[in-house]
Amino acid sequence: MPGALTDIRVIEVGTLLAGPFCGQLLADHGAEVIKVEPPGSGDPMRAWGQEKADGKSLWWPVVGRGKKSVTINLREPAGQDLVRRLAAGADVLLENFRPGTLERWGLDPEDLQAANPKLIVTRVSGYGQTGPYSSKPGFGNIGEAMGGIRYTTGDPEKMPSRTGISIGDTLTAMFATIGTLNALHVRERTGRGQIVDAALYESVLAVMESLLTEYHVAGFIRERTGSMIPNIAPANAYPTRDGRIHLISGNQDTVWRRMAEAMGRPELGTDPRFATHIARGDHQQELDEMIAGWTATLDADELRRILDEYAVPNGQIYRAPEMLADEHFEARDAIAWVDSADFGAIPMQNIVPKLSGTPGSINWSGPALGEHNDEVLGGILGLDAGAVERLRADGIVA
């Protein structure tokens, strides 16, 4: 299917997740993403992941999807020259090395933009391109800690917890994507590219709601609260008779009154302890215990049927099996099945958001290392077979 970015060429020279996930999002919507990887080893994401099959990463097919892989040794002048030539004909150069690395490799963004004024250079790093921490190495978990999400995540009686995914990296990739799209829009008016500077800690900080304002104005520091939302009730996870966990969000006044009816206790809807948002927050623990006592008498499917009947927002906590079996996921094509050379047809999350006219498509899963060398080096850069062979002999490509 056509994508919104089919006229955009991206040169991705980043590794691991924050930069490459930005490249994945751009490729999903039609951009031609040429991923530059070290000869022989490739992006470490080819080997990373909590679970593997026959020693092969199950993460790479997702984060590498829709990209073209070319192997170029960026530590050699000849390899750096190849990237300069690619950047001269590109719309975006995407990187997530430590600040200063591109400059040491002779790929200073200002020089690249002098040769190609329309080039947008999207730079992803731990602390940004400026400031006293800019030269420090920064990974996603450090950005999560500095940006505030680690301290506020988990059980209040335990150490701060991670969210279960690399949220710092993915948030930064999303903000880098937004910045890239903004820069492309501005270029339509000015004809000139710019630098997009996306920092891990700032991307996490950006989603931390009113955390800073609460402290400055009221001296309040947010703490970990586990599964509940402080002073917003009911909005928690509750047990069911068949041992499952169900989320219920009945915290709006009108919704709470409907929920009280669903529980067979309509008087709770007007009870002064629970009738208003403020009152329910003041009596949150008492209310949660009351609701848990009710939900524990019902199987999860019956609980969901009752709550749906009374239009109370609710849902099971899903894992992969529930996602693959859910009729709504299927009806919305939320899961795509993509052919993979290593694993056959495999499921992965589909493109988000859905665009009615240019929805984009997942054209292939993560490519083999150097799979597109001939297409990129010969077709795009116009190198003849002899020139490519000499680069291969010198270890510049593989």
Side-chain angles (χ1 to χ4, degrees):
M1 298 294 290
L5 304 175
T6 52
D7 57 340
I8 300 300
R9 175 176 290 169
V10 179
I11 310 301
E12 178 191 303
V13 296
T15 61
L16 297 175
L17 189 55
F21 184 47
C22 173
Q24 176 199 320
L25 296 176
L26 296 172
D28 282 350
H29 287 281
E32 179 188 30
V33 178
I34 298 172
K35 182 171 181 61
V36 176
E37 302 185 73
S41 58
D43 190 324
M45 290 302 295
R46 292 180 176 273
W48 280 32
Q50 190 171 354
E51 182 64 30
K52 298 181 177 64
D54 298 325
K56 298 175 181 176
S57 170
L58 296 171
W59 200 344
W60 170 250
V62 180
V63 75
R65 71 191 194 188
K67 301 177 184 179
K68 298 177 179 178
S69 171
V70 58
T71 53
I72 298 176
N73 188 345
L74 287 173
R75 289 174 170 78
E76 295 292 335
Q80 296 158 7
D81 183 62
L82 291 175
V83 171
R84 271 192 292 273
R85 293 176 61 182
L86 286 171
D91 298 284
V92 179
L93 178 76
L94 168 62
E95 65 98 5
N96 67 323
F97 299 114
R98 196 188 306 187
T101 301
L102 283 189
E103 288 80 356
R104 288 196 302 272
W105 287 344
L107 300 172
D108 190 306
E110 291 185 0
D111 294 337
L112 298 178
Q113 290 175 325
N116 177 7
K118 293 185 177 182
L119 181 68
I120 293 160
V121 182
T122 299
R123 314 193 72 174
V124 176
S125 62
Y127 303 98
Q129 300 299 312
T130 60
Y133 299 169
S134 60
S135 62
K136 294 175 59 174
F139 271 32
N141 58 347
I142 308 302
E144 293 166 20
M146 189 173 176
I149 200 169
R150 278 294 180 111
Y151 185 78
T152 56
T153 301
D155 189 307
E157 303 301 322
K158 298 180 180 179
M159 294 285 285
S161 175
R162 73 187 296 267
T163 62
I165 60 169
S166 303
I167 191 69
D169 289 299
T170 51
L171 281 173
T172 309
M174 294 171 71
F175 280 111
T177 302
I178 293 170
T180 301
L181 297 176
N182 285 341
L184 287 168
H185 179 69
V186 171
R187 194 183 68 176
E188 290 295 310
R189 299 199 304 269
T190 66
R192 300 192 66 84
Q194 58 184 294
I195 294 174
V196 177
D197 182 356
L200 281 159
Y201 85 96
E202 289 171 350
S203 299
V204 173
L205 179 63
V207 301
M208 293 308 296
E209 301 174 350
S210 55
L211 178 143
L212 294 172
T213 309
E214 290 166 355
Y215 173 70
H216 178 75
V217 175
F220 177 76
I221 295 178
R222 289 199 185 190
E223 301 288 345
R224 294 179 294 286
T225 60
S227 62
M228 63 177 285
I229 306 175
N231 299 320
I232 297 179
N236 209 336
Y238 303 94
T240 62
R241 184 170 57 191
D242 52 353
R244 294 154 81 178
I245 302 172
H246 214 77
L247 284 176
I248 303 175
S249 292
N251 46 288
Q252 190 177 9
D253 290 352
T254 54
V255 177
W256 164 244
R257 288 195 289 273
R258 294 200 300 270
M259 183 172 171
E261 292 181 10
M263 295 171 64
R265 301 186 62 181
E267 72 280 1
L268 294 177
T270 55
D271 187 313
R273 296 171 298 167
F274 312 123
T276 67
H277 173 78
I278 299 298
R280 288 192 300 277
D282 291 339
H283 298 86
Q284 186 166 22
Q285 183 174 349
E286 179 183 358
L287 183 58
D288 275 343
E289 290 174 355
M290 186 183 305
I291 294 171
W294 172 65
T295 63
T297 67
L298 299 166
D299 289 345
D301 290 342
E302 177 67 5
L303 175 61
R304 178 174 56 191
R305 185 194 66 75
I306 293 172
L307 292 172
D308 284 348
E309 179 181 344
Y310 285 87
V312 177
N314 74 99
Q316 181 184 344
I317 295 179
Y318 276 23
R319 306 164 302 157
E322 289 79 27
M323 296 174 187
L324 288 167
D326 190 279
E327 61 181 358
H328 191 79
F329 278 67
E330 182 178 3
R332 294 263 306 165
D333 291 324
I335 297 172
W337 289 84
V338 184
D339 287 333
S340 164
D342 292 324
F343 310 114
I346 54 175
M348 60 182 70
Q349 53 271 42
N350 213 337
I351 298 169
V352 177
K354 299 181 184 299
L355 276 66
S356 62
T358 53
S361 59
I362 302 172
N363 295 319
W364 56 81
S365 61
L369 183 61
E371 181 176 336
H372 301 92
N373 277 1
D374 290 343
E375 177 183 343
V376 174
L377 299 175
I380 294 177
L381 294 185
L383 300 180
D384 59 36
V388 173
E389 188 56 39
R390 287 191 293 274
L391 290 169
R392 186 172 289 112
D394 291 338
I396 306 302
V397 301

